[in-house]
Amino acid sequence: MEADNLTELSEFLLLGLSDDPELQPVLFGLFLSMYLVTVLRNLLIILAISSDSHLHTPMYFFLSNLSFVDTCFISTTVPKMLVNIQARSKEISYMGCLTQVYFLMMFAGMDTFLLAVMAYDRFVAICHPLQYTVIMNPHLCGLLVLASWFIIFWVSLVHILLMKRLTFSTGTEIPHFFCELAQVLRVARCDTLLNNIVLYVATALLGVFPVAGILFSYSQIVSSLMRMSATEGKYKAFSTCGSHLCVVSLFNGTGLGVYLSSAVTHSSQSSSTASVMYAMVTPMLNPFIYSLRNKDVKGVLGRLLNRAASCLLWGTTSELRGCYWSIKQM
């Protein structure tokens, strides 16, 4: 098939997870429910943190940013997949594919950076408790998040600009349910050496440095806890780190699974299955991990839900307005 430069009218075909027509309603219902649960739980965590002054601390500031990024991450892929399943279509426009690649890289990179920053926050809180409020001041917290956005914005943009020079055949099929950069590069009809070099370098830098920072932070935390004599203090420190460790393990474990499945097996089915874990299951489980293991978040969420339920069941229109403002000011 002749390779031509793509125009705005060009399209890719996303092959999805399965061609079985009887399985499509099951996949639609499953992924829709996962998407709604993920968005709802992450928005509830953001609402809980923003509405309770006791949670206006660096740890919860980073957690609210992580919840926002997870919501955006899953919203980049799932709505388009649901539309394609419902419409029985596999098409995605060229610009739509580039947009999906860009935001996927951006939000995945932000997840990595935020997890590293949260590990540093725990390191300062446990190893330097007397200086915690001085070191982790609002200015530094905001600067860390803004710097992360700035770096990942330009890294993602470089990938997109390099993709613009590639050529593809008309009706190119992507053996995936969303436009993943590595999969798109495989179906290009021209030399992708430069793209692959930049991809591997960016993955190494943006993956190795944050993971190294997380490992260093926790090595210092463990060393500090070993010198701590009070059992109660050790338990409290472990409990504050437990949720973060679970999320780090889940995120990096599924990310490694995606890499190994695509690099070792070259099977589109196994790669797509691993990507479901990475792109959908991880953002869905993160808010459950933090809300189930964190008493502060659980307490605020419980009060919010109880207040909202009582307002909806018994409130008049004017009382509902009062409930809304009281929830915002909790």
Side-chain angles (χ1 to χ4, degrees), residues 17 176-177 258 261 268-278:
L17 293 172
H176 219 297
F177 63 93
V258 171
S261 63
S268 60
Q269 186 64 38
S270 60
S271 178
S272 297
T273 304
S275 294
V276 169
M277 294 292 296
Y278 178 73

Side-chain angles (χ1 to χ4, degrees), residues 19-37:
D19 290 326
D20 187 355
E22 295 182 357
L23 197 58
Q24 301 307 306
V26 177
L27 292 176
F28 181 85
L30 175 63
F31 293 141
L32 177 61
S33 60
M34 291 173 66
Y35 176 70
L36 294 177
V37 167

